[in-house]
Amino acid sequence: MKAFLHPSENRGHVKMGWLESKHSFSFGNWYDPKYMGISALRVINDDLIAGHQGFGTHPHDNMEILTCVLKGTITHQDSMGNHGGIAAGEWQLMSAGTGIRHSEMNQGNERVHLLQIWIIPNEQDAKPNYQQIRLDPHEQPNHWHLICGPNGNAPMHIRQNAEVKTAVIQQGQSLQVQATQQINYIHVVSGTVQIAEHRVEAGGAIAFLDDSEIQAIDDAQVIWFDLPEVPH
């Protein structure tokens, strides 16, 4: 299996007061030309947000922004009129399209842990859209859960020929990766997995082209990005 391994320690590590973030790909003040994204996947930020802090109102356009809350609750407010909490086990997809302004604030006392994922859309200047679901893979382990995709069978619709799935794999169990697109990118949220001869730890990732098997060395959560070779 030809593969590109992206170890956790190669991520950018940024601390700025209330925010501690690890960047899988170049973002903000952290830049590495080796890590500029893969296919349409442009950003995976692993964020820890201090209590009573967060991202004030700011704009986005022409980006599919997927948020996965791992611990705590983040409060979202946007220019489309959406306002409410996104709790652990929930996912939000904001299709920024022609433009949207939003804020994400931690209104509690404890740190919020979330992943923010950006995927480049295949449709420019579309009407902005907001979607949110609850889907906690811990409640049904050892099974792939589809989060978003381009077709009507997905819980949330993404403007790109890509699918995002997640799973919790219990120690010693395994799941098959059978690609429907061209590029598989597996991000390990927690735990450690084995894919062919490659061991991937929490925060790390691996990209490969062929079907394969993921085995959990210990209890692990992973996100599978099934991406087009050419994201247009």
Side-chain angles (χ1 to χ4, degrees), residues 19-141:
L19 175 66
E20 182 175 358
S21 186
K22 294 183 179 178
H23 304 326
S24 293
F25 304 113
S26 294
F27 187 87
N29 293 327
W30 183 75
Y31 174 78
D32 188 324
K34 298 191 300 293
Y35 300 110
M36 297 299 298
I38 183 167
S39 179
L41 178 60
R42 179 60 188 84
V43 167
I44 303 178
N45 288 349
D46 189 336
D47 292 342
L48 291 169
I49 302 168
H52 305 287
Q53 299 288 340
F55 303 98
T57 302
H58 60 282
H60 291 285
D61 62 50
N62 289 315
M63 190 63 70
E64 304 291 288
I65 300 172
L66 179 65
T67 299
C68 166
V69 179
L70 300 170
K71 182 180 180 181
T73 299
I74 197 80
T75 299
H76 169 93
Q77 186 167 357
D78 66 44
S79 54
M80 291 185 288
N82 301 294
H83 183 201
I86 309 164
E90 294 186 326
W91 302 71
Q92 174 212 67
L93 179 60
M94 190 173 65
S95 299
T98 53
I100 188 172
R101 295 179 63 81
H102 79 125
S103 63
E104 305 284 348
M105 304 298 295
N106 176 8
Q107 297 183 342
N109 295 320
E110 302 298 323
R111 289 204 297 185
V112 167
H113 186 193
L114 59 81
L115 299 178
Q116 187 175 103
I117 298 158
W118 293 12
I119 296 175
I120 300 168
N122 58 10
E123 180 182 354
Q124 295 291 297
D125 297 326
K127 182 179 178 181
N129 188 35
Y130 181 93
Q131 302 166 79
Q132 183 176 334
I133 62 170
R134 174 173 173 76
L135 201 163
D136 186 349
H138 293 87
E139 296 173 358
Q140 190 179 1

